[in-house]
Amino acid sequence: MKVLIIELSNLGDAILTYPALSALWAAYPGAEFHLLASGRTRELFQGEPRIHRVWAWESQAPPWIQLALVARLAGLGFSRVVDFRNSIIPLFIWGARRTPILRGPSPDGIHRADLHLRLVASLGVPPAPAAVRLPFGPQE
């Protein structure tokens, strides 16, 4: 199984996806995870051993460069797509189960990390069984 994760572009928001990512890793232990991230968050995930490849999304790149990347991703045979960004990219990944594209407004009073857990729950993924540890070493 291959899973594409489309990550948020702000560092703090990306960190808040870790409980949902942990739930995905626990639910699909043998899966190959790919992550599409912007420049600000790519570095956070580069050293994560559970991610097979981090793809660079350049929001300032010309549209044909962005489309070429989406086409390349579409050809990799992902069976799941988790889109934290709520983009149109999952529409190009044929045959994959994906998180909902049309989402209503976020309910008031619910922590962002809990909203991310609800998003992956839409794929049948239960919450992570243990506390989440961020992959930071002493240097970071």
Side-chain angles (χ1 to χ4, degrees):
M1 172 185 293
K2 283 186 180 181
V3 180
L4 175 63
I5 300 161
I6 302 171
E7 191 52 72
L8 295 167
S9 57
N10 293 323
L11 188 57
D13 293 334
I15 289 171
L16 291 177
T17 66
Y18 257 89
L21 293 175
S22 293
L24 286 166
W25 294 325
Y28 307 124
E32 182 178 296
F33 290 92
H34 291 243
L35 190 129
L36 180 63
S38 69
R40 291 185 282 197
T41 59
R42 246 188 343 259
E43 199 171 313
L44 174 66
F45 298 102
Q46 290 288 1
E48 175 56 65
R50 294 168 286 193
I51 295 177
H52 177 75
R53 179 157 181 194
V54 176
W55 296 85
W57 180 259
E58 302 296 341
S59 59
Q60 302 303 316
W64 61 87
I65 300 291
Q66 293 174 339
L67 285 172
L69 176 58
V70 171
R72 186 169 180 197
L73 291 170
L76 292 178
F78 292 105
S79 54
R80 303 282 186 277
V81 179
V82 177
D83 186 4
F84 291 112
R85 187 176 290 195
N86 200 22
S87 69
I88 64 166
I89 294 171
L91 293 175
F92 297 96
I93 314 292
W94 293 97
R97 280 193 63 201
R98 59 184 177 247
T99 51
I101 292 175
L102 297 176
R103 302 179 204 159
S106 298
D108 290 336
I110 297 180
H111 195 277
R112 180 69 56 192
D114 292 326
L115 291 174
H116 298 320
L117 285 168
R118 285 184 181 185
L119 185 65
V120 298
S122 71
L123 294 175
V125 174
V132 176
R133 301 194 71 202
L134 297 175
F136 302 128
Q139 268 185 320
E140 292 87 4

